[in-house]
Amino acid sequence: MLFNGVISSNAMKSWTVEAASMPDGSQVELAGWVWDVREVGKIRFIILKDREGVIQLTVKKGDVPQSVWEAAAGLVKEDVILVKGVVKASRIAKSGVEVIPSELRILNKSKPLPIDIWGNVAQTELDARLRYRIVDLKRPESLVIFKASSAAARAIRESLYDRGFIEVFTPKIISTSTEGGADLFPVQYFDVVAYLAQSPQLYKEELTASLERVFEIGPAYRAEKHSTTYHLNEFISVDLEAAFMNYRDVMSILEDVIINVYSRILQVPGVVDMNKEISVPKKPFAVVSYDDALEMLGKKGINVRWGDDIPKEGLEALTGEVGSPFFLVNFPTSLRAFYTMPVEGDPSRSESFDLVIDGVEIVSGATRIHDRKLLENALISRGLNPANFESHLAAYEWGMPPHAGWGLGFYRLLMVMLRRSNIREVVLFPRDRNRLTP
Amino acid sequence: MLFNGVISSNAMKSWTVEAASMPDGSQVELAGWVWDVREVGKIRFIILKDREGVIQLTVKKGDVPQSVWEAAAGLVKEDVILVKGVVKASRIAKSGVEVIPSELRILNKSKPLPIDIWGNVAQTELDARLRYRIVDLKRPESLVIFKASSAAARAIRESLYDRGFIEVFTPKIISTSTEGGADLFPVQYFDVVAYLAQSPQLYKEELTASLERVFEIGPAYRAEKHSTTYHLNEFISVDLEAAFMNYRDVMSILEDVIINVYSRILQVPGVVDMNKEISVPKKPFAVVSYDDALEMLGKKGINVRWGDDIPKEGLEALTGEVGSPFFLVNFPTSLRAFYTMPVEGDPSRSESFDLVIDGVEIVSGATRIHDRKLLENALISRGLNPANFESHLAAYEWGMPPHAGWGLGFYRLLMVMLRRSNIREVVLFPRDRNRLTP
């Protein structure tokens, strides 16, 4: 039918979870997928599933129109159906209600699925689940993960809007390396070779000279050949930068962000089933200096040389000592990127921090250098050529304010909050060295 | 100083606009940039600017500490300063208040800027402004644009969360062309050649089979060699897709989104100065069928052959006839992408729409095909090989619901709302054929 001249604002279908709390006798329209069918004599029980839950349709010969009885006969799992009917209280149905359909339309038929979405997850390898990801996403647990993901992104933004931050979009195609370090993916950009941005670091710092407080939630790329359960080559980075703040100020903002994210995802049904120990962290988070951390680890027989990264087992041991989350602060300056501000009067240490949750590094941040000469020296001391950073350095002569910021690995945060053992679980279509599809 | 064991939650500095409404005698701490300095006898007037506005600092010899008087002497435009002082009502100062500083610290010195940010914009070419974008962003007009941009993104998301949509992140590195058409940027992904996604189209459609209602705001890439005032090679796409909806349903959602965006950006100070005619559109938006549009244009001497795109001058002429915004609907099926649902009983026309604002196409959407066989035929009729789409087609056999959606050009929407003549004005760091820096 051609457009009839009026934009419809049809009442949308109800969610199953809404129907479950409707009064006895309510008319309802539902749509979703056949989760299960059982036939007991003259009754066909259909479990209808949508994103929010399941509900029982009770199709009893004689009680429903003959067309409904017949449509119910041929149904198989994952058929897509539309149902109109009446909500009835039920002592048998799990949700306490059943729906007696007056209309049942099959919108699409399903073939047998390539992987099991009803049984025990452990029986299907993660590899197979990711290969058939669009099917795997039908599992109730997957639905919980991606509802939590959306709730987490929303909670982060709300916290930052409230604190005067502006959301920005910076380009992901860049002409040169941002930080002079990690491997980059090359892009053929018309006649020249460009790269995918590994972070919006330099852009966000430059933006503090005008927009003052900015954040971005967007993709970032690292062409590193790692193959761990907590690295990916494309990931979502939450980046924040603020003028007239130091590392303590942005740590304080970060505490509030993390607390808001936990509060919000705890409201997503099913999250507690995935992480039975989850709770909203309390302020202030514990703070451990890098030097103290090395001493604590030494006593436990984990020896880290001053100037070296603390390995994952070290972060886990520290979590055992001080709890979770905790801040690690004042890293050796040489361990951090060139733009990190050294501590005044103790330049071998820096105004830097990591936030560690459940033994995993989730956030890295610091006060940044805002003086051009200091920044040039920091580049040189790391073997980088200031001439390659001239357009960035110029910004430091046109009113660059003192500033600080952090970068948060969005998927890592989700992984620890939902207690997934592999980061790929919380990513719709992960990209790693061997995975470019689906 | 090393971390002192307590995370600071220092009261942040106040914005100038906050200070302007403080009672006479209030203590205030401000930080920002020197916008102007004037010396009248024994008084130095400093206009301090931050992201939210300007305020006058009145430095009178004898009234302020000698250190403040001296610090004020050397100030030049764009020096970064921190000020503590007392708010005083003033008949002379524009904002009605002035601040008498008790402390004035210079946080960073500025050199002369490479472009004028104080004078008439028209005097500086857009090219130069984009080359020195980080300086150009200091202009009050630029600050308004990017506050409006953040407000617009926030308004879109709020409307969609309210309607049960889940925010998703899909990969931007993909193995093959999504839509079989437009030019793609190749990426060297380890040992294979991959591409930058031109849209999340197929992913978002597949996701309706589990998450039902999804949206994404993220970058998209087109390697087209156009050079217009309203195309870019990297842009922000707002993508929406919903199960159990048709094109009318998602048009209705779109109306609400657009209305919310206009309402929110009208609250951003300065927006009305940029577009004096801006007003919140009213529901329902006008709807014109493609066929009727051709007839209306024919009468105006603009002849478009049935099956051809309506050129920009045509969209502008139609705006003159029916107002703005308006929907164009029921495009020829052959004009739209393969996944577009034909009209039942009239397969040469489709359940498709564009939203046109001020003569510019901002959104494209449609009911999508959800039947595998129909989708295969649609591919074949466009000269595409279904075998190349097998992993996508398979999804249609595992419970694919009827669905509809749209894609909105975020920067185009900003451009028309803020009446900018070039899309580059509303993009922090635009990417076009000749522009890969800054």
Side-chain angles (χ1 to χ4, degrees):
Chain A
M1 193 171 63
L2 289 171
F3 201 91
N4 64 6
V6 181
I7 295 170
S8 77
S9 40
N10 290 333
M12 291 180 192
K13 69 145 186 166
S14 298
W15 297 109
T16 50
V17 69
E18 291 169 332
S21 61
M22 285 179 182
D24 199 79
S26 303
Q27 286 288 337
V28 70
E29 182 172 335
L30 298 166
W33 293 262
V34 174
W35 186 247
D36 202 6
V37 256
R38 269 183 312 130
E39 191 154 348
V40 182
K42 300 260 185 222
I43 311 182
R44 292 177 175 140
F45 295 103
I46 301 159
I47 304 299
L48 171 72
K49 183 200 62 166
D50 65 14
R51 187 184 78 191
E52 301 298 330
V54 294
I55 201 162
Q56 181 181 294
L57 313 178
T58 306
V59 182
K60 192 171 172 184
K61 191 169 165 68
D63 275 10
V64 298
Q66 181 64 14
S67 62
V68 171
W69 173 253
E70 280 164 15
L75 290 177
V76 300
K77 288 179 178 183
E78 286 305 303
D79 280 351
V80 187
I81 58 174
L82 177 83
V83 175
K84 293 180 187 173
V86 176
V87 175
K88 284 254 157 100
S90 158
R91 272 171 304 174
I92 306 160
K94 269 190 190 167
S95 61
V97 303
E98 59 188 349
V99 171
I100 314 299
S102 55
E103 193 182 329
L104 196 166
R105 280 170 55 204
I106 301 171
L107 302 176
N108 214 348
K109 291 294 292 177
S110 179
K111 290 193 176 169
L113 302 187
I115 56 170
D116 181 9
I117 62 169
W118 299 273
N120 192 332
V121 181
Q123 288 165 4
T124 308
E125 299 269 359
L126 183 58
D127 254 5
R129 288 173 41 214
L130 292 176
R131 192 156 58 245
Y132 297 107
R133 186 55 148 169
I134 49 178
V135 176
D136 180 60
L137 289 171
K138 293 169 176 276
R139 290 190 308 114
E141 198 179 60
S142 297
L143 295 172
V144 174
I145 291 172
F146 292 99
K147 279 186 247 180
S149 169
S150 179
R154 184 179 184 179
I156 292 168
R157 289 199 194 88
E158 276 173 4
S159 295
L160 297 179
Y161 292 140
D162 284 351
R163 282 158 185 78
F165 283 81
I166 286 178
E167 180 173 13
V168 295
F169 300 101
T170 64
K172 302 309 158 204
I173 301 183
I174 55 166
S175 62
T176 50
S177 164
T178 357
E179 307 191 19
D183 295 319
L184 296 166
F185 288 116
V187 180
Q188 190 64 41
Y189 192 76
F190 300 112
D191 300 330
V192 300
V193 175
Y195 302 94
L196 292 181
Q198 59 201 173
S199 98
Q201 181 65 33
L202 305 192
Y203 285 122
K204 70 178 180 170
E205 286 192 65
E206 293 170 2
L207 290 174
T208 63
S210 50
L211 300 173
E212 297 200 34
R213 297 180 200 162
V214 296
F215 76 96
E216 177 167 19
I217 302 184
Y221 302 88
R222 305 267 161 98
E224 291 158 5
K225 292 186 174 173
H226 35 52
S227 129
T228 76
T229 54
Y230 55 97
H231 284 97
L232 287 173
N233 297 104
E234 177 176 36
F235 58 98
I236 297 296
S237 179
V238 180
D239 275 277
L240 171 142
E241 203 73 24
F244 309 112
M245 292 195 195
N246 61 29
Y247 70 138
R248 289 171 209 204
D249 299 318
V250 295
M251 285 165 72
S252 169
I253 290 170
L254 177 56
E255 283 183 321
D256 292 339
V257 167
I258 295 292
I259 286 169
N260 197 33
V261 170
Y262 270 85
S263 306
R264 289 312 201 101
I265 78 149
L266 267 167
Q267 292 165 22
V268 175
V271 162
V272 179
D273 298 326
M274 302 186 77
N275 179 359
K276 302 217 183 330
E277 292 163 38
I278 194 172
S279 67
V280 180
K282 286 190 181 49
K283 285 205 282 188
F285 297 175
V287 177
V288 182
S289 75
Y290 175 88
D291 285 51
D292 287 351
L294 261 49
E295 203 182 310
M296 287 162 87
L297 291 174
K299 285 182 187 153
K300 291 176 159 286
I302 303 173
N303 291 302
V304 179
R305 209 175 45 181
W306 198 95
D308 283 355
D309 260 323
I310 296 175
K312 189 145 195 326
E313 58 159 350
L315 298 180
E316 283 161 5
L318 289 167
T319 300
E321 289 283 300
V322 300
S324 174
F326 75 92
F327 283 111
L328 258 175
V329 298
N330 298 141
F331 285 86
T333 305
S334 57
L335 252 185
R336 308 292 280 206
F338 69 87
Y339 42 75
T340 309
M341 181 72 95
V343 168
E344 209 180 330
D346 187 358
S348 65
R349 292 179 178 78
S350 60
E351 293 196 0
S352 56
F353 66 92
D354 280 359
L355 180 70
V356 179
I357 308 184
D358 289 2
V360 183
E361 178 212 315
I362 305 292
V363 187
S364 255
T367 312
R368 324 294 191 180
I369 294 172
H370 61 277
D371 176 82
R372 178 179 170 136
K373 195 68 208 154
L374 217 66
L375 196 55
E376 278 183 21
N377 292 342
L379 284 165
I380 293 164
S381 76
R382 283 163 181 84
L384 296 165
N385 183 358
N388 296 338
F389 291 82
E390 185 49 40
S391 72
H392 180 61
L393 290 167
Y396 288 72
E397 297 185 333
W398 300 324
M400 179 61 80
H403 57 284
W406 43 255
L408 178 155
F410 183 70
Y411 293 142
R412 283 201 185 176
L413 176 60
L414 278 175
M415 179 177 74
V416 298
M417 288 194 300
L418 300 174
R419 284 276 160 94
R420 298 300 93 185
S421 57
N422 192 317
I423 197 166
R424 291 161 184 78
E425 296 260 3
V426 304
V427 182
L428 285 171
F429 304 101
R431 291 290 177 263
D432 60 31
R433 197 177 160 192
N434 304 308
R435 201 178 314 265
L436 188 55
T437 58
Chain B
M1 193 173 64
L2 289 171
F3 200 92
N4 64 6
V6 181
I7 295 170
S8 77
S9 41
N10 289 334
M12 291 181 193
K13 70 145 184 165
S14 297
W15 297 109
T16 50
V17 69
E18 292 169 334
S21 60
M22 285 179 181
D24 198 78
S26 302
Q27 286 287 338
V28 70
E29 181 171 336
L30 299 165
W33 294 263
V34 174
W35 185 247
D36 202 7
V37 256
R38 269 184 312 132
E39 191 152 347
V40 183
K42 299 259 186 224
I43 311 182
R44 291 176 176 143
F45 295 103
I46 301 160
I47 304 300
L48 171 72
K49 183 200 62 165
D50 65 14
R51 186 184 79 191
E52 301 298 331
V54 295
I55 201 161
Q56 180 180 295
L57 313 178
T58 306
V59 181
K60 192 173 174 183
K61 191 168 165 70
D63 274 10
V64 298
Q66 181 65 14
S67 62
V68 171
W69 172 253
E70 281 164 16
L75 290 178
V76 299
K77 287 178 176 184
E78 287 306 303
D79 280 351
V80 187
I81 58 174
L82 177 84
V83 175
K84 292 179 187 174
V86 176
V87 175
K88 283 253 158 102
S90 158
R91 272 171 305 172
I92 306 159
K94 268 191 191 168
S95 61
V97 302
E98 59 188 349
V99 171
I100 314 299
S102 55
E103 191 181 329
L104 196 167
R105 279 170 54 203
I106 300 171
L107 301 177
N108 214 348
K109 291 294 292 176
S110 178
K111 291 194 176 168
L113 302 188
I115 56 171
D116 181 9
I117 61 168
W118 298 273
N120 192 332
V121 179
Q123 289 166 3
T124 308
E125 299 268 0
L126 182 59
D127 253 6
R129 288 173 42 214
L130 292 175
R131 191 157 57 246
Y132 297 107
R133 185 56 148 169
I134 49 178
V135 177
D136 180 60
L137 290 171
K138 293 169 177 276
R139 290 190 308 115
E141 198 179 61
S142 296
L143 295 172
V144 174
I145 291 172
F146 292 99
K147 279 185 246 181
S149 169
S150 179
R154 184 178 184 180
I156 293 169
R157 289 198 195 89
E158 276 173 6
S159 294
L160 298 179
Y161 292 140
D162 284 351
R163 283 159 185 78
F165 283 81
I166 286 179
E167 180 174 13
V168 296
F169 300 101
T170 64
K172 303 307 158 204
I173 301 183
I174 55 167
S175 63
T176 51
S177 164
T178 357
E179 307 191 20
D183 295 320
L184 297 166
F185 288 115
V187 180
Q188 190 65 42
Y189 192 75
F190 300 112
D191 300 330
V192 300
V193 174
Y195 302 93
L196 292 181
Q198 59 201 173
S199 99
Q201 181 64 34
L202 305 191
Y203 285 121
K204 69 178 180 170
E205 287 193 64
E206 293 169 1
L207 290 173
T208 63
S210 51
L211 301 173
E212 298 200 34
R213 297 179 199 162
V214 296
F215 77 97
E216 177 166 20
I217 302 184
Y221 301 90
R222 304 266 161 100
E224 291 158 6
K225 291 185 174 173
H226 35 53
S227 130
T228 76
T229 53
Y230 53 98
H231 284 96
L232 287 173
N233 297 104
E234 176 175 36
F235 58 99
I236 297 297
S237 180
V238 180
D239 274 277
L240 170 142
E241 203 73 23
F244 308 113
M245 292 195 196
N246 61 29
Y247 70 139
R248 289 170 209 204
D249 299 319
V250 295
M251 284 164 73
S252 170
I253 291 170
L254 178 56
E255 282 184 321
D256 293 339
V257 167
I258 295 291
I259 287 169
N260 197 33
V261 170
Y262 271 84
S263 307
R264 289 311 202 100
I265 78 149
L266 267 166
Q267 292 165 22
V268 175
V271 161
V272 179
D273 298 327
M274 302 186 77
N275 179 0
K276 300 214 183 336
E277 291 163 38
I278 194 171
S279 66
V280 180
K282 286 190 181 51
K283 283 206 282 189
F285 296 176
V287 177
V288 182
S289 74
Y290 174 88
D291 286 51
D292 287 350
L294 260 49
E295 203 181 310
M296 288 161 88
L297 291 174
K299 286 181 186 155
K300 291 177 159 286
I302 302 173
N303 291 303
V304 180
R305 212 176 42 182
W306 197 95
D308 282 355
D309 260 323
I310 296 175
K312 190 146 192 328
E313 56 159 351
L315 298 180
E316 283 161 4
L318 289 168
T319 300
E321 289 283 300
V322 300
S324 175
F326 74 93
F327 283 111
L328 257 175
V329 298
N330 299 141
F331 285 86
T333 304
S334 58
L335 253 184
R336 310 292 280 206
F338 69 86
Y339 42 76
T340 310
M341 181 72 95
V343 169
E344 208 180 331
D346 187 358
S348 65
R349 293 180 177 78
S350 61
E351 294 197 358
S352 56
F353 66 93
D354 280 1
L355 181 70
V356 179
I357 308 184
D358 289 2
V360 183
E361 178 212 315
I362 305 291
V363 187
S364 256
T367 312
R368 323 295 190 181
I369 294 172
H370 62 276
D371 176 83
R372 177 177 172 139
K373 195 67 209 156
L374 217 67
L375 196 55
E376 278 184 21
N377 291 341
L379 284 165
I380 292 166
S381 77
R382 282 163 183 82
L384 296 165
N385 183 357
N388 295 339
F389 291 83
E390 184 48 41
S391 73
H392 179 61
L393 289 167
Y396 289 72
E397 297 184 334
W398 300 324
M400 179 61 80
H403 58 285
W406 42 256
L408 178 155
F410 183 70
Y411 293 142
R412 283 201 184 175
L413 177 60
L414 278 175
M415 180 177 74
V416 298
M417 289 193 299
L418 300 174
R419 284 276 160 94
R420 298 301 92 187
S421 57
N422 193 316
I423 198 166
R424 290 161 184 78
E425 296 260 3
V426 303
V427 182
L428 286 171
F429 304 102
R431 290 291 177 263
D432 60 31
R433 198 178 158 191
N434 303 308
R435 201 179 314 264
L436 188 54
T437 57

